[in-house]
Amino acid sequence: MCVIYLLHAGTKARKSGGRLIVESETEKISSVPLASIDQIVASRNSQITTQTIYALLEEGKSIIYVNHLGIVEGVLQPVGMDSRKLLLQLKSFQDDQFQITLIRKILLEKLSQQQKLLLTQTSHIPNKPAIMHSKGM
């Protein structure tokens, strides 16, 4: 499961071959195969090229647009994906072991992203308290 977050101002996603290239205004941040991406979460101040949007739609991937508070403003997804996705989700969520594994992955990713966000947002604060790292994070 790979979710790409484009939350910083000036972040841009573009397609190159079969890969998604994520760049800031000054540097290349990452390069990920389009096939390995489940969805993109984009903020108002980021950009996704039209070619990238079409490639993601062709791959059955969605783009979620969020505001500065992280609240979903809208979703762009392929036509007809709702029913197939819902049936697959229903089948998956009936499996107890899958539920536990998924919850763990989601929580670890959320904690990791929150930690990155806190470090980014507090980088300008002098004498900030150290964030403790626990094993398994």
Side-chain angles (χ1 to χ4, degrees):
M1 179 162 66
C2 179
V3 179
I4 304 294
Y5 292 88
L6 304 173
L7 301 178
H8 296 285
T11 306
K12 179 180 179 180
R14 65 178 175 84
K15 177 181 164 299
S16 179
R19 300 186 73 81
L20 177 77
I21 309 298
V22 179
E23 302 170 316
S24 70
E25 294 174 344
T26 58
E27 65 181 327
K28 178 178 170 181
I29 297 170
S30 69
S31 173
V32 181
L34 281 169
S36 71
I37 298 170
D38 287 327
Q39 65 184 203
I40 291 182
V41 178
S43 70
R44 178 177 309 237
N45 296 319
S46 62
Q47 297 178 13
I48 305 172
T49 65
T50 304
Q51 294 84 357
T52 302
I53 292 170
Y54 274 93
L56 290 165
L57 292 173
E58 288 169 0
E59 291 278 331
K61 314 303 181 182
S62 60
I63 301 170
I64 299 173
Y65 293 95
V66 298
N67 65 18
H68 67 284
L69 297 173
I71 298 170
V72 175
E73 297 280 338
V75 177
L76 177 63
Q77 64 184 23
V79 174
M81 286 299 293
D82 283 347
S83 60
R84 283 187 285 164
K85 271 190 173 180
L86 285 175
L87 289 174
L88 287 172
Q89 287 174 349
L90 179 62
K91 184 177 178 180
S92 296
F93 286 117
Q94 291 172 340
D95 178 357
D96 291 340
Q97 187 57 46
F98 175 82
Q99 290 179 21
I100 292 168
T101 303
L102 180 63
I103 289 167
R104 283 185 180 144
K105 286 181 180 180
I106 290 171
L107 288 175
L108 285 173
E109 185 62 28
K110 284 183 172 273
L111 289 170
S112 173
Q113 293 301 324
Q114 285 297 317
Q115 184 179 30
K116 288 179 187 175
L117 180 64
L118 287 171
L119 289 171
T120 302
Q121 297 297 323
T122 61
S123 63
H124 66 283
I125 300 172
N127 301 324
K128 66 181 174 194
I131 295 178
M132 300 196 51
H133 297 277
S134 66
K135 292 180 182 177
M137 292 298 279

